Amino acid sequence: MVAEFDRREGWTDWGCRSCAHWLNWRCGLDLRAGREHVRMARSMENLPHIKGAFGRGELSYSKARALTRVATPESEEDLVAMAALPPPPTWRSWCGPTGERRGPMTWGR
């Protein structure tokens, strides 16, 4: 829903500068969290395995957020399978804040 709202620029009807600003105003998220929600929602449009697992509650928000930083359409299925194994702090350390891979992405094979 966030990705669609952003793509259609629904936030402009309210005089907001961005979807993140609208989320800040209407949902109480700070701007950084709002930008991250938009980034994650937009990323999941091209990552159906992550989107599906997150939608079914099989991935926590923390895991889905970390995975959307590094996943590609080719790697996401394996990453979703691996996400069931380690806790979220491990994934955050593997999937750095800028999206660079820092850890053993073949772990568990």
Side-chain angles (χ1 to χ4, degrees), residues 50-89:
I50 293 173
K51 183 178 181 178
F54 181 64
R56 291 187 300 274
E58 296 167 6
L59 284 179
S60 67
Y61 176 79
S62 294
K63 286 183 181 182
R65 188 174 133 212
L67 292 180
T68 59
R69 288 189 188 120
V70 297
T72 64
E74 297 77 28
S75 68
E76 69 160 327
E77 190 170 7
D78 288 340
L79 292 172
V80 168
M82 291 168 36
L85 302 174

Side-chain angles (χ1 to χ4, degrees), residues 27-104:
C27 301
L29 296 178
D30 73 12
L31 286 176
R32 177 182 253 167
R35 286 186 201 101
E36 187 63 12
H37 274 68
V38 173
R39 184 206 60 77
M40 187 175 148
R42 286 300 199 101
S43 295
M44 283 197 289
E45 290 183 313
N46 299 313
L47 301 168
H49 294 287
I50 293 173
K51 183 178 181 178
F54 181 64
R56 291 187 300 274
E58 296 167 6
L59 284 179
S60 67
Y61 176 79
S62 294
K63 286 183 181 182
R65 188 174 133 212
L67 292 180
T68 59
R69 288 189 188 120
V70 297
T72 64
E74 297 77 28
S75 68
E76 69 160 327
E77 190 170 7
D78 288 340
L79 292 172
V80 168
M82 291 168 36
L85 302 174
T90 303
W91 281 96
R92 282 194 298 274
S93 69
W94 286 359
C95 307
T98 58
E100 76 277 8
R101 292 182 181 177
R102 292 197 248 169

Side-chain angles (χ1 to χ4, degrees), residues 11 14-16 19-29 31:
W11 41 268
W14 300 91
C16 294
C19 189
H21 283 88
W22 186 88
L23 289 167
N24 170 257
W25 174 56
R26 297 302 293 169
C27 301
L29 296 178
L31 286 176

